[in-house]
Amino acid sequence: MEPWVWVVVGIVVVVLIVLLLVTGQRRKAIQQKRDESHREKAAEIRRKAEDIELDARENEARATRARADAEQAQVDAARLRQEAEYRAAEAESLRGDVAEHARKADAVDPDVETGKAHDGDVRTRRDVRDAHAEEGRAEDARPSDGHVDQARTADGRVDEARTEEARTDRENPRSGI
C-alpha cells in the first residue's frame, strides 16, 4: 500500500477519534442537563409532598381538636342533664313542701271544711255560713234593712274574692312559699 493511503487512513481515524470525543462530551453535557432537570423536578415533588404532609398533619390536628370538642360537648351535655334532673327533683320537692304547708294551713284554718263540695272545690265554713245567710236574707228581706243587706253583700263579695284567691294559691302553688 502506498503511503498516501496510510496518511488518509490516519487522518480519518484521528477525525473519528476527535468526533467521538466531542460527541461524548456533548452527551455528558446533555446528560448533566437532564440530570439537573430531574433533580429540580424531584426537589419540587418533594416540596409538594412536604406541603401535603403538613396539610395532612394540620387536618389531623383539626380532627383531633374536633373530637376533643365533641367529647367536651358531650361532657357538658351530661352535666347539664344532671343539673336539669337535680333541679327538677328539687322543684318537685318544693312542690311537695308547698302542698304539705297548704294541708297544714287547711288543718289549722277554722274556715276550711275538710269535706268537698259537689263541684270538687273545698268549701269553707264561711262559704256555708254565707250560703245560709243568703237564703235567710231572701226570705226575710225588709225595706228598712236595705243598707245592711248591701253591706252584707259587699262583705260576702270580699269573702268570696279571698276564698277564690286562697283556692287559686292552693291549686297553683308558687315556689318559695
Side-chain angles (χ1 to χ4, degrees):
M1 270 207 205
E2 301 216 11
W4 65 271
V5 175
W6 287 108
V7 172
V8 172
V9 170
I11 293 176
V12 170
V13 170
V14 170
V15 169
L16 284 176
I17 291 174
V18 171
L19 281 176
L20 285 174
L21 288 174
V22 170
T23 56
Q25 288 177 350
R26 281 188 184 171
R27 279 189 210 154
K28 278 186 180 181
I30 291 172
Q31 186 64 36
Q32 286 176 347
K33 284 183 182 180
R34 272 192 223 142
D35 289 347
E36 188 62 33
S37 169
H38 288 150
R39 284 185 192 107
E40 288 175 5
K41 285 182 182 180
E44 186 177 329
I45 291 170
R46 283 187 186 101
R47 278 191 300 269
K48 286 181 181 179
E50 287 174 359
D51 290 343
I52 291 171
E53 176 68 23
L54 288 175
D55 289 344
R57 285 183 184 172
E58 189 175 329
N59 286 340
E60 286 174 353
R62 284 186 197 140
T64 302
R65 269 188 249 124
R67 274 189 224 105
D69 290 345
E71 288 177 20
Q72 183 64 41
Q74 287 175 344
V75 168
D76 291 343
R79 282 189 184 140
L80 287 174
R81 258 186 249 109
Q82 285 177 345
E83 185 176 343
E85 289 170 3
Y86 171 76
R87 293 199 185 263
E90 189 175 296
E92 189 63 32
S93 172
L94 288 174
R95 283 191 193 108
D97 291 347
V98 167
E100 182 63 29
H101 286 296
R103 279 192 296 274
K104 285 180 182 178
D106 288 347
V108 173
D109 190 355
D111 293 332
V112 175
E113 191 175 290
T114 58
K116 298 274 183 178
H118 295 293
D119 58 356
D121 291 337
V122 174
R123 294 187 69 190
T124 64
R125 290 188 181 119
R126 185 175 291 160
D127 291 339
V128 173
R129 186 179 63 232
D130 288 345
H132 289 300
E134 292 282 330
E135 291 172 7
R137 272 184 271 166
E139 293 174 6
D140 296 333
R142 288 178 271 167
S144 62
D145 291 339
H147 295 292
V148 174
D149 286 340
Q150 287 177 351
R152 285 183 185 158
T153 304
D155 286 343
R157 288 184 190 143
V158 169
D159 289 342
E160 286 176 16
R162 286 182 184 153
T163 303
E164 183 61 32
E165 185 178 333
R167 187 176 302 136
T168 302
D169 285 345
R170 280 192 300 268
E171 291 172 359
N172 300 318
R174 291 177 243 150
S175 63
I177 297 177

